[in-house]
Amino acid sequence: DGGITQSPKYLFRKEGQNVTLSCEQNLNHDAMYWYRQDPGQGLRLIYYSQIVNDFQKGDIAEGYSVSREKKESFPLTVTSAQKNPTAFYLCASSPITGRGVDTEAFFGQGTRLTVV
Amino acid sequence: KQEVTQIPAALSVPEGENLVLNCSFTDSAIYNLQWFRQDPGKGLTSLLLIQSSQREQTSGRLNASLDKSSGRSTLYIAASQPGDSATYLCAVPGGATNKLIFGTGTLLAVQP
């Protein structure tokens, strides 16, 4: 089945620890995105990538890092510099057409990160 | 800066009712608008994508309309069912990439 796979579903982080969230897609999409969702707030963009080995900061990139070594993979690392990491993290992908941005975005099932 | 608003924040209706969810955006220069559904603790499921050149898009009991000039979109759900209970989100691209800007959603409860 084609889709986006996020793992793990639940993740617990101790104070001062870095953790990495996995996102894999087999849709052959060029663009991938990481969003953060907090209760009562809309989704906010952390990082995005439109091509392998290139990525851009979103609105709330501080305390996070990403890599895009393969087209199908876009892992997100939550570093110890992120002071309030408890949230629901969603990965998305979309194709990029010659016409620009008239394409549909697809999402994974999310990872819930909790600081313990 | 583009802002997306969804009203109401929550809605409860009896089964079988037709209902409308609203989405408004401040910058009418959008490429498209997408409606999503989110079940508790789950990811987002894409429901409908309306291109800027379209006024309506239909999928089953769902119909989404887009009025760019007034900065509004509506999602019409016909003959609602308890299984429609979820949070519904709308989103528009922020500029010349598909970075989406989301509303805060409408939590729908359909009572059996």
Side-chain angles (χ1 to χ4, degrees):
Chain A
D1 279 37
I4 300 173
T5 302
Q6 290 188 240
S7 63
K9 186 173 182 179
Y10 299 97
L11 186 58
F12 298 91
R13 192 194 94 166
K14 296 180 181 179
E15 295 283 350
Q17 190 179 42
N18 293 356
V19 292
T20 298
L21 285 60
S22 171
C23 178
E24 304 277 332
Q25 55 101 357
N26 60 6
L27 300 168
N28 199 34
H29 287 171
D30 290 300
M32 297 187 74
Y33 313 82
W34 275 105
Y35 292 89
R36 169 178 170 145
Q37 187 176 35
D38 295 281
Q41 299 192 36
L43 279 73
R44 292 179 291 169
L45 182 67
I46 305 172
Y47 268 98
Y48 67 101
S49 168
Q50 298 191 85
I51 194 170
V52 173
N53 292 324
D54 187 56
F55 46 83
Q56 307 296 328
K57 292 182 179 180
D59 299 320
I60 55 166
E62 185 175 353
Y64 300 97
S65 66
V66 294
S67 63
R68 186 87 186 275
E69 297 177 0
K70 298 185 297 182
K71 185 176 183 179
E72 59 269 24
S73 179
F74 192 41
L76 173 74
T77 296
V78 184
T79 75
S80 57
Q82 172 49 241
K83 297 307 178 188
N84 185 24
T86 295
F88 191 51
Y89 291 86
L90 288 157
C91 178
S93 72
S94 65
I96 297 177
T97 71
R99 292 186 296 171
V101 293
D102 56 351
T103 58
E104 193 172 3
F106 296 88
F107 281 76
Q109 287 300 300
T111 293
R112 184 164 299 282
L113 173 63
T114 303
V115 174
V116 296
Chain B
K1 180 183 174 184
Q2 178 74 272
E3 293 183 1
V4 179
T5 304
Q6 292 185 248
I7 294 173
L11 181 64
S12 180
V13 300
E15 182 176 3
E17 253 193 33
N18 302 327
L19 59 100
V20 173
L21 306 180
N22 297 295
C23 173
S24 61
F25 45 93
T26 55
D27 184 349
S28 62
I30 60 170
Y31 291 94
N32 60 54
L33 185 143
Q34 198 166 352
W35 281 95
F36 295 91
R37 168 186 173 136
Q38 185 176 30
D39 293 293
K42 304 291 186 182
L44 275 62
T45 300
S46 179
L47 296 174
L48 289 163
L49 172 73
I50 313 178
Q51 303 294 353
S52 60
S53 58
Q54 297 176 314
R55 293 191 65 85
E56 279 192 6
Q57 190 71 257
T58 298
S59 175
R61 294 183 293 107
L62 306 180
N63 176 277
S65 68
L66 176 63
D67 184 345
K68 281 182 56 178
S69 61
S70 66
R72 294 180 183 176
S73 175
T74 62
L75 180 66
Y76 175 84
I77 302 177
S80 58
Q81 304 170 358
D84 294 330
S85 298
T87 297
Y88 291 81
L89 298 154
C90 66
V92 297
T97 71
N98 217 8
K99 301 180 295 181
L100 294 176
I101 299 173
F102 284 84
T104 51
T106 294
L107 176 61
L108 173 65
V110 181
Q111 308 299 331

